[in-house]
Amino acid sequence: MANTDTGGEPARDRSSGLSDKQQRILDFLRSFLLEKDYPPSIRDIQQGCEISSTSVVDYNLKRLEERGYIRRDREVSRAIELLDGTGRRRGSLTVPLVGAIAAGSPIPMPPDTLPPGYDEVAVTEAQTRGRSNAFALKVQGTSMIDALIDDGDIVILEPTQSCDDGDMVAVWLRDENETTLKKFFHEGSRIRLQPMNSAMDPIYTSPENVEVQGRVLSSIRLS
């Protein structure tokens, strides 16, 4: 009787013992990691391998893990590592995902507070630019969409209280007790916090009302 891997696809007679679907997933993982230097999402794999559903992807990833081709950490987003030495993730590490930040209207977020039991995100040294104290925030809103940062994406930041004009930063607005993700500019006696969305207006405020909390190093698209 032919073996099927939750997609109606018979296993090929190959020395590796992998089905066609599993081999396609393995090849896709290898090429994706080499090109982007971070692992694909389940939906990336589904679309890239033309598989019918994410549940079929998950089933075959479990089989690949059982056979020693990959290692997964289900507590960390996108944490898939190849174990055959080809396309291995370079400089893999994790950073804390400490909360959410608005890329739209500012949202309340008390400063200097880490939530208990915070999650972690798998990243590379390139994404942290070698910063050992990098942290991650999940983006809410679309004001940075023209900078290719969409609602639900993850931004990796370095803690800092200073920045240059044009830097993308997480800013705490003291009077409002709110944080927002914007590009930072000095304009005379005031600060302009500029969204990267032509449909949205900038925020103007005084320097005394602004505390920079982090500068964006990179971003991760999760969907």
Side-chain angles (χ1 to χ4, degrees), residues 61-72:
L61 287 174
K62 289 177 181 176
R63 303 291 80 78
L64 288 169
E65 187 172 19
E66 289 171 357
R67 296 173 185 181
Y69 285 94
I70 65 172
R71 179 165 56 227
R72 302 171 73 191

Side-chain angles (χ1 to χ4, degrees), residues 6-76:
T6 312
E9 182 178 320
R12 290 182 62 180
D13 182 17
R14 57 168 74 232
S15 59
S16 66
L18 300 181
S19 69
D20 282 344
K21 190 178 278 91
Q22 290 161 5
Q23 188 63 51
R24 287 206 314 273
I25 291 173
L26 196 61
D27 292 342
F28 179 80
L29 286 170
R30 184 177 295 116
S31 61
F32 193 101
L33 284 161
L34 286 172
E35 177 184 353
K36 300 183 180 295
D37 205 25
Y38 61 85
S41 67
I42 297 293
R43 192 163 298 280
D44 287 333
I45 298 170
Q46 180 200 359
Q47 295 172 349
C49 297
E50 299 181 344
I51 294 174
S52 59
S53 70
T54 55
S55 63
V56 174
V57 174
D58 187 64
Y59 173 88
N60 285 282
L61 287 174
K62 289 177 181 176
R63 303 291 80 78
L64 288 169
E65 187 172 19
E66 289 171 357
R67 296 173 185 181
Y69 285 94
I70 65 172
R71 179 165 56 227
R72 302 171 73 191
D73 185 344
R74 291 168 181 79
E75 301 302 318
V76 179

Side-chain angles (χ1 to χ4, degrees), residues 155-167:
V155 285
I156 310 302
L157 305 95
E158 62 173 332
T160 183
Q161 293 186 326
S162 63
C163 66
D164 298 323
D165 282 357
D167 283 347

